Each structure stands twice: as C-alpha cells, then as structure tokens.
C-alpha cells in the first residue's frame, strides 16, 4: 500500500464529534453505553435465533445475519471514537484510515443488499405463501446472505480504488470521528472533482438501486396486505412496519451523505452517527418489541440460563473461591 502511494502524509487527525473538552467525558460515557447496548442487543438476537428451533426459518435466519452486520457496522469505528474521547490528539494512520474506508463501505453496502434480501423474503411469504417453503429453501437463504457480502466487497473495492493512489501532501484534518471517503478525498493535493463524481456515482447507484427495489417490493407487499384482512395479514403488517422503519432509518442518512453530499460537515457527522450507531441500536429494539415470537423465545432463553437463584449461586461460588 505504501508503495502505491508516495504521500508525505502518514496520519490523519480526526476532529471527532465535538471540540469541547468539557463534553468529552460525557460523550465517552454515552457512546460507551450505546456500543454496549449494540453488542448485547444484537448478540442476544443471534443467540435467540440459534437456540430456539421455532426460529429456524428464513426470516429469522436473515434477521440474525442483519444483527451480525449491525455489529460490524458499529464496530469499524465506534471503539476508536470512544477511545479518542480520552485523548487530546486524535490521530489515525494512513493505513488505518484506508481500512476504515474499506470496512464502512463493505458493511454498509452489504447491509443495503441484505435489507433487499429481507424484503424479498417477506414478498415471497406474503404474496406467494403456498410456495414459500419451496422458493425459500436452504440454498436460496444462503445465497441471499452471500450476495450482500459479495456486493459489499465489490463496492468497497471500487471505492478504495479511487482513494489509494491519491496524493496527500497538505491538510490532514478529517472533520469526523472516522475516515469518511468524501471528507478524505477533499484533502488530496490534486483536483478531486472527477474522483468525487465517481464516488457519488458508485455509492449513489448502490444506494438508490437498493432503495428503489425496496420501495417496489414493499409497495407490492402493502397492496397485497391491504386486500386481505386475515389474522396472518395483521401479523404481516406488523412485520412490514418494522422492516420499513429500519429501511428508512438506514437509507435516509446514507442517501443524504453519499448521493447528495452536503457542505455542512456538522450535519454529515450527525447523519454518520445515525447510520453507524443508532440504527444498530434500534434494529434489535424494533424487531423484538414488535415480534411476539422473538420475545417468547427470549423469555424461554432467560428461563433456561437464568433460573431463580442461579445468579446468586454463581456469586456465592465466586466469593467462596476468593476466600478459600
């Protein structure tokens, strides 16, 4: 990588979310709690889906994969951001900066396509219920998970190709909490107008094509649901509401940042926090609070591993070993 880029800039300075030193401890606590909630919430969904045989269906298989990719989206930059709240000089090496660019587009691009996969699963379940088990077989489910990762990898490789050969010889301050591609390219020593257009075209094509597919899919599904009034359709409406909420929360910030880049970096930072952190928190909340099957499975999991008196017995054993 250093051979392809002879730049004198060896590190970038991340300006973070705020320049106020008084706010740093407060932000450290808040985002530490957010990140812990992301890990616990999404790991709980994955564990619940794995442990309960009634959830071994295509919909929950895709939901568990969404939780895994949410953990990845939140983890590529959030631990670094949390650690930076405790230091005055926030820096990231050139190689680590490129790694952040690589992973954010890999995970975010993959999540976009995974949401399309989930929409396809709901389309088959609601519009073709008699053929659901035949269409959504194991091979199709695995394909619906592998395709997002392949698309994300192709997308991030093409994005990184625009950046790796740029020359950086002057300003090295990135006005964000991670190396975001539009901000990093603006620091190059050459005119990046064409590169910026290519970046917008690449990200815009993936974002808008995925979003349009989702709009078409959910429109067809909503029309089908509206024409039926059975109890099964009421359950489908509840599931659709959760899916549409997730899609709106995730695609909204991405489209504003990468399709119509804003000149106000403070706005960009707020949107970046939304799609990297808050959607990863809200996804498990949205899918568990509106889903009786998941809540029932979680209660079953709790009763299995957290039986009355079990925690106190573990604590007594630990205290006994310490005093022994």
């Amino acid at each position: 990588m250093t051979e392809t880029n002879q730049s004198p800039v060896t590190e970038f300075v991340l300006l973070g979310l705020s320049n106020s030193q008084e706010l740093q401890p407060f932000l450290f606590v808040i985002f530490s709690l957010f990140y812990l909630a992301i890990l616990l919430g999404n790991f709980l969904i994955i564990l619940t889906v794995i442990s309960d045989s009634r959830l071994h269906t295509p919909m929950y298989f895709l939901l568990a994969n969404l939780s895994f990719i949410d953990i990845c989206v939140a983890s590529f930059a959030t631990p670094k951001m949390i650690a930076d709240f405790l230091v005055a000089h926030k820096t990231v090496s050139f190689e680590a900066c490129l790694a952040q660019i690589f992973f954010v587009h890999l995970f975010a691009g993959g999540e976009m396509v995974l949401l399309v996969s989930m929409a396809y699963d709901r389309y088959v379940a609601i519009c073709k219920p008699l053929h659901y088990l035949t269409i959504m077989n194991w091979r199709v489910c695995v394909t619906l998970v592998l395709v997002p990762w392949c698309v994300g990898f192709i997308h991030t490789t093409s994005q990184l190709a625009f950046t790796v050969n740029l020359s950086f010889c002057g300003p090295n301050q990135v006005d964000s909490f991670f190396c975001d591609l539009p901000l990093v390219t603006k620091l190059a020593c050459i005119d990046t107008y064409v590169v910026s257009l290519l970046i917008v075209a690449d990200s815009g094509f993936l974002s808008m094509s995925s979003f349009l597919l989702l709009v078409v899919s959910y429109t067809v599904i909503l029309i089908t649901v509206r024409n039926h009034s059975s109890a099964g359709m009421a359950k489908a409406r509840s599931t659709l509401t959760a899916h549409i909420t997730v899609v709106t929360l995730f695609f909204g910030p991405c489209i504003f940042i990468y399709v119509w880049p804003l000149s106000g970096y403070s706005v960009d930072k707020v949107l970046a926090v939304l799609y990297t952190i808050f959607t990863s928190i809200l996804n498990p909340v949205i899918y568990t609070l509106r889903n009786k099957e998941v809540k029932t499975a979680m209660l079953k999991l709790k009763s299995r591993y957290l039986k009355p008196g079990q925690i106190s017995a573990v604590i007594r054993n630990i205290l006994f070993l310490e005093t022994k």
Side-chain angles (χ1 to χ4, degrees):
M1 187 174 295
T2 56
E3 293 178 1
T4 59
N5 192 308
Q6 301 297 329
S7 168
V9 173
T10 59
E11 65 179 17
F12 291 95
V13 178
L14 301 176
L15 299 184
L17 294 179
S18 173
N19 294 326
S20 173
Q21 293 300 320
E22 292 76 13
L23 283 177
Q24 302 302 310
F26 173 75
L27 293 175
F28 172 80
V29 174
I30 292 298
F31 282 98
S32 295
L33 293 175
F34 283 161
Y35 186 57
L36 182 62
I38 290 170
L39 296 181
L40 292 178
N42 286 288
F43 273 126
L44 180 59
I45 288 181
I46 295 173
L47 181 61
T48 302
V49 172
I50 292 175
S51 62
D52 197 316
S53 59
R54 292 176 300 177
L55 300 183
H56 292 175
T57 63
M59 182 179 78
Y60 294 110
F61 174 70
L62 294 173
L63 175 59
N65 280 276
L66 177 65
S67 292
F68 175 74
I69 205 168
D70 273 335
I71 293 173
C72 295
V73 169
S75 297
F76 84 94
T78 305
K80 167 68 175 169
M81 177 186 67
I82 294 172
D84 283 345
F85 287 134
L86 302 178
V87 298
H89 193 57
K90 306 172 179 62
T91 60
V92 59
S93 67
F94 181 81
E95 290 77 11
C97 183
L98 292 183
Q100 286 187 342
I101 293 173
F102 176 84
F103 285 118
V104 66
H105 287 278
L106 172 65
F107 299 141
E111 181 159 352
M112 289 179 185
V113 183
L114 183 60
L115 290 172
V116 176
S117 297
M118 296 178 72
Y120 175 74
D121 169 72
R122 290 301 84 203
Y123 165 78
V124 176
I126 295 172
C127 299
K128 300 178 183 295
L130 298 179
H131 303 283
Y132 179 73
L133 294 178
T134 303
I135 297 174
M136 294 298 296
N137 55 55
W138 175 247
R139 180 179 298 178
V140 172
C141 291
V142 172
T143 302
L144 290 176
V145 170
L146 291 180
V147 168
W149 286 104
C150 293
V151 172
F153 180 78
I154 295 172
H155 169 64
T156 194
T157 303
S158 63
Q159 293 288 73
L160 200 62
F162 299 140
T163 312
V164 69
N165 289 319
L166 292 177
S167 177
F168 298 91
C169 56
N172 66 338
Q173 292 185 337
V174 179
D175 193 11
S176 185
F177 60 93
F178 69 95
C179 285
D180 204 0
L181 188 57
L183 301 181
V184 173
T185 54
K186 291 179 182 295
L187 301 177
C189 299
I190 62 173
D191 182 10
T192 58
Y193 178 76
V194 175
V195 173
S196 298
L197 287 179
L198 292 173
I199 291 172
V200 170
D202 191 336
S203 296
F205 175 76
L206 178 60
S207 301
M208 293 305 297
S209 59
S210 300
F211 185 71
L212 290 176
L213 283 174
L214 288 168
V215 169
V216 172
S217 300
Y218 286 126
T219 300
V220 174
I221 294 172
L222 288 172
I223 292 174
T224 303
V225 170
R226 189 182 63 179
N227 294 333
H228 297 78
S229 58
S230 63
M233 289 298 111
K235 180 181 176 182
R237 275 192 290 269
S238 177
T239 304
L240 282 179
T241 303
H243 282 225
I244 293 172
T245 303
V246 169
V247 167
T248 303
L249 290 172
F250 184 77
F251 274 89
C254 290
I255 290 174
F256 270 99
I257 290 176
Y258 293 103
V259 180
W260 293 292
L262 302 177
S263 57
Y265 291 160
S266 59
V267 178
D268 284 354
K269 284 191 282 189
V270 173
L271 295 176
V273 170
L274 282 176
Y275 82 83
T276 59
I277 298 175
F278 282 105
T279 55
S280 299
I281 296 176
L282 292 176
N283 281 357
V285 174
I286 291 170
Y287 282 111
T288 55
L289 292 181
R290 301 188 62 88
N291 193 304
K292 292 182 179 180
E293 290 180 340
V294 175
K295 287 191 290 186
T296 302
M298 285 184 175
L299 291 175
K300 184 178 178 181
L301 189 67
K302 177 184 176 182
S303 63
R304 180 188 305 175
Y305 294 104
L306 297 177
K307 296 179 181 178
Q310 185 174 2
I311 297 178
S312 59
V314 172
I315 295 175
R316 286 197 301 269
N317 290 334
I318 293 174
L319 294 175
F320 175 75
L321 290 175
E322 290 179 349
T323 56
K324 189 173 181 180

